[in-house]
Amino acid sequence: MCTVLLRLAPGSAWPLLVAAVRDEFLDRSWDPPAAHWPTHPSLVGGRDRTAGGTWLAVDPAPSGRGSPAVAAVLNGVRLPPPPSGTRPSRGSLPLAAVAGTLPPTFEGYDGFHLLLGTASTVEVWSWDGVSVVHHRLAAGDHIIVNDGVGAVSDPLVPHFAPLLAALPDPPLAAATTEAAWGPWVDLLRGDGLALDDPRALLIRHEFDGTQPDLAGRVYGSGSLALVGIAADRVRYDFTATPLTPHWAPVLPAPAPTPLHLC
């Protein structure tokens, strides 16, 4: 599963704060966050090498929305293959959402929950293969999981909701991720839960021979992202090692260390 924890507080210094966990088969190759897409030159995110899309994209330029934006996609219900036998990639959806070019229909896509957030609004589209539900989230704290927005059917949600609510707004002013985000970084360590705990934020599962096509593959938490969105600025931090995090700012890029000559 994947998880997005967010705080929408219009009028605050950083109106949108997002903490995201990406879960995937760990042998699926990808590229770290950068401006990978010539057709979307302002967008920054990690690129899936298999299908070319992304699970999370950040647009630091206000453009036509009047604000920077972040989009992320989480897997939803698994659907039977379409008659053609091929599906469009869900990884294209965050790029399309930020660019304002979502398809008119989601027919053919596997189930998903797609988030688009700016400094003033957060929207989520949930597709189950039959219908799409469009949520416009109220100000406050929210958790999105593979079961949907605030789905208490997932034990993670009732466990982490009070922990998210207790977090102070981070200053996002320091050079290092830990100093800028403070307790938000601590929350993404998973609250000490075991990787196989039903409430776990960070997971790892190695498949045995009971499913021959998956034998030996490992599904788990592959990366973490922290994104702050304001009307005129963005902060994006990332680590590819969730269990032993080595955080680095992506946006804005850290200023070079001054060279002191003697």
Side-chain angles (χ1 to χ4, degrees):
M1 61 177 292
C2 295
T3 306
V4 172
L5 306 98
L6 68 89
R7 174 171 297 164
L8 177 63
S12 64
W14 289 90
L16 178 60
L17 302 168
V18 174
V21 182
R22 185 203 184 205
D23 299 328
E24 183 54 89
F25 283 102
L26 299 185
D27 58 2
R28 183 164 177 149
S29 60
W30 54 276
D31 297 308
H36 292 292
W37 302 276
T39 55
H40 303 286
S42 67
L43 303 191
V44 175
R47 178 177 59 185
D48 172 50
R49 291 181 183 175
T50 301
T54 189
W55 53 95
L56 184 146
V58 176
D59 188 353
S63 68
R65 288 178 307 275
S67 168
V70 58
V73 67
L74 296 81
N75 292 346
V77 62
R78 187 72 176 169
L79 301 172
S84 66
T86 60
R87 297 186 185 280
S89 169
R90 289 172 291 194
S92 66
L93 294 172
L95 304 175
V98 175
T101 57
L102 283 175
T105 177
F106 297 125
E107 289 291 337
Y109 284 91
D110 223 339
F112 64 79
H113 307 285
L114 174 67
L115 173 148
L116 174 64
T118 69
S120 59
T121 61
V122 175
E123 300 174 81
V124 179
W125 292 265
S126 295
W127 166 250
D128 64 1
V130 177
S131 61
V132 60
V133 176
H134 180 222
H135 312 262
R136 188 177 293 270
L137 301 188
D141 295 335
H142 301 273
I143 300 178
I144 306 169
V145 292
N146 295 108
D147 286 351
V149 179
V152 295
S153 54
D154 186 331
L156 180 154
V157 174
H159 181 84
F160 279 91
L163 300 178
L164 174 62
L167 293 180
D169 289 344
L172 301 192
T176 68
T177 304
E178 290 81 2
W181 287 90
W184 288 71
V185 170
D186 297 333
L187 182 69
L188 286 181
R189 293 192 176 102
D191 197 38
L193 298 176
L195 300 179
D196 60 353
D197 191 302
R199 303 165 297 170
L201 183 65
L202 304 180
I203 65 169
R204 180 181 173 88
H205 175 70
E206 183 169 352
F207 287 86
D208 58 24
T210 58
Q211 295 176 268
D213 57 328
L214 297 177
R217 298 187 71 188
V218 178
Y219 187 88
S221 300
S223 65
L224 306 175
L226 287 162
V227 180
I229 299 287
D232 58 352
R233 61 198 188 281
V234 61
R235 171 121 190 183
Y236 175 15
D237 294 78
F238 180 84
T239 178
T241 56
L243 302 184
T244 55
H246 297 283
W247 287 96
V250 178
L251 295 169
T257 302
L259 179 63
H260 299 285
L261 300 177
C262 29

